[in-house]
Amino acid sequence: MYGRWYSPHVPSPLVAASYLWSAWIFSWLAAAVWSGRTVSRESVGDRLGYGLWLWVGLFLIFVQARRMPSWLFTPIVPPWAWLAWAGVGLAGAGVAYAWWARLHLGRLWSGAVTLKDGHRVVRTGPYALTRHPIYTGLLLALAATVLVRGDLAGVLGLPFVLMGARAKVALEERLLMRHFADDYARYRREVPALVPRFW
């Protein structure tokens, strides 16, 4: 879609976004070994409850045209170079924010809904801005990737991702409320879940 705006020697925004996501996936998986011992874990049913939404959404956002009906790739966003590159920049900012939160959480991090050995309510760094800053960053990056793609498939995929993230956040909040009751209830009152309150 954006290829006609660029020299063959310069990557398109879509290619740049794919490099960004590839780097995030490999670095995130490599860092997964840096995690504490799990003492409580979600059930398979709970994981399916949010996972199906997420996988459908991610499939639509990242699917290639040759594998799906052509109408899914109807352009929605104007093919302006500056807009596509702005999307790449926003995706990079979202990934960087998620990594800040991941590093700040340290060994308490898990890709699943779990409770780690020595778990506590973290309220510093990005966790002073939102209760789930990793999701904040990744949702921003995914929305920006939809902007870079600019087609119907990406636009349709984003609500599925949002529904999956909402379900996973609710699951995590219930787990933390059970174990940290008053501390987490106060944290919930004072800090928003996903969108920072800068005012």
Side-chain angles (χ1 to χ4, degrees):
M1 177 177 176
Y2 293 98
R4 66 180 183 274
W5 294 93
Y6 303 97
S7 159
H9 305 294
V10 178
S12 72
L14 198 56
V15 171
S18 70
Y19 288 158
L20 174 67
W21 280 110
S22 296
W24 174 79
I25 289 170
F26 286 117
S27 62
W28 205 258
L29 290 175
V33 298
W34 180 43
S35 183
R37 184 175 64 88
T38 298
V39 297
S40 178
R41 183 180 296 276
E42 66 194 352
S43 68
V44 174
D46 286 336
R47 177 171 286 195
L48 286 174
Y50 66 80
L52 290 175
W53 290 102
L54 289 174
W55 284 112
V56 169
L58 292 173
F59 177 78
L60 287 169
I61 291 172
F62 291 104
V63 69
Q64 298 300 309
R66 64 180 178 274
R67 298 178 181 173
M68 297 291 284
S70 59
W71 61 266
L72 277 174
F73 302 94
T74 304
I76 299 295
V77 178
W80 299 332
W82 67 267
L83 189 59
W85 283 113
V88 174
L90 283 173
V95 167
Y97 188 77
W99 255 116
W100 179 32
R102 167 71 178 87
L103 293 171
H104 196 81
L105 199 58
R107 292 180 62 82
L108 297 179
W109 173 85
S110 173
V113 179
T114 60
L115 200 70
K116 294 292 183 178
D117 188 24
H119 215 110
R120 65 189 187 280
V121 178
V122 177
R123 298 196 52 164
T124 54
Y127 289 86
L129 301 175
T130 61
R131 300 195 303 273
H132 304 277
I134 291 176
Y135 300 156
T136 299
L138 293 180
L139 288 172
L140 172 62
L142 287 168
T145 302
V146 170
L147 183 65
V148 174
R149 285 197 58 149
D151 58 24
L152 184 59
V155 172
L156 292 176
L158 196 56
F160 284 95
V161 170
L162 293 173
M163 289 296 294
R166 180 181 177 184
K168 191 174 182 183
V169 163
L171 194 62
E172 288 187 6
E173 302 251 296
R174 287 197 297 272
L175 177 67
L176 293 169
M177 281 295 293
R178 283 200 304 270
H179 286 83
F180 301 107
D182 294 341
D183 283 347
Y184 199 76
R186 182 167 59 252
Y187 183 41
R188 288 182 69 180
R189 289 194 301 269
E190 296 173 355
V191 178
L194 294 171
V195 181
R197 287 197 296 258
F198 294 113
W199 51 90

